[in-house]
Amino acid sequence: MCEPKPAPGARDSGPRRLKPAQLLFEPPEAVADPEHFFDLESIEDPRELLARSTELALAFRAAADRATEFQAVAAAQLADPRRFDRLPTAVIAERAEWSEDYTKKMVEFGRDLLRGNRTVE
C-alpha cells in the first residue's frame, strides 16, 4: 500500500501509519445524534478511546490528503490549455470555492502529479 502524499502547504507531522483506520459510513440514525461519532462515545477505557480516536484522526488526515490530490489533478485537467473545454482559473476557483491564487497553486500541484513528480493511485 502506498502512503499518501501531503497536500500543498500541509505540515509535516512525521511518519504516517501505513494503514489508517478504515472509514465507514455511519447509519443515518447515528449521524442524527450529535453525541454519536463513530461509536467513540461508547468506549469507556481511555486507552482504547485514545487508540481508536487516534486511528480515526490519522484516517481522516490521509483521506483529506488524498482528496486534495484528486482535487489538484482535476483542477489541472480542467485548466489544461490543450482541452477544447478548458476552464479559466476563476471558474475553477468558483466551483471549488477557492481563491484564484490557491487555484493556481492547485493547478500547478496537479500538473506535478500528472507528470509523475508525485503519485496519485
Side-chain angles (χ1 to χ4, degrees):
M1 182 169 155
C2 211
E3 282 188 62
K5 306 292 185 252
R11 292 183 281 133
D12 182 17
S13 57
R16 293 189 176 222
R17 290 184 169 171
L18 291 178
K19 187 175 180 183
Q22 183 179 11
L23 294 178
L24 302 174
F25 291 99
E26 294 192 273
E29 59 276 358
V31 173
D33 178 2
E35 297 298 315
H36 184 83
F37 188 73
F38 287 88
D39 211 27
L40 293 178
E41 70 287 344
S42 69
I43 300 174
E44 294 184 18
D45 178 8
R47 289 174 195 84
E48 186 181 340
L49 178 59
L50 178 62
R52 180 64 181 144
S53 60
T54 300
E55 286 176 348
L56 281 170
L58 292 171
F60 284 126
R61 281 187 211 128
D65 287 348
R66 296 291 289 149
T68 300
E69 289 177 347
F70 282 101
Q71 282 181 309
V73 166
Q77 290 171 334
L78 289 170
D80 188 341
R82 296 171 296 182
R83 290 178 61 111
F84 76 93
D85 59 347
R86 174 183 180 268
L87 294 177
T89 54
V91 174
I92 297 169
E94 183 180 330
R95 287 186 180 189
E97 298 180 8
W98 297 332
S99 71
E100 201 163 344
D101 286 341
Y102 184 75
T103 302
K104 290 174 185 175
K105 290 177 184 177
M106 287 295 279
V107 166
E108 202 50 50
F109 178 52
R111 287 178 179 154
D112 284 348
L113 290 169
L114 290 169
R115 280 192 289 264
N117 294 346
R118 298 186 180 170
T119 58
V120 172
E121 295 176 359

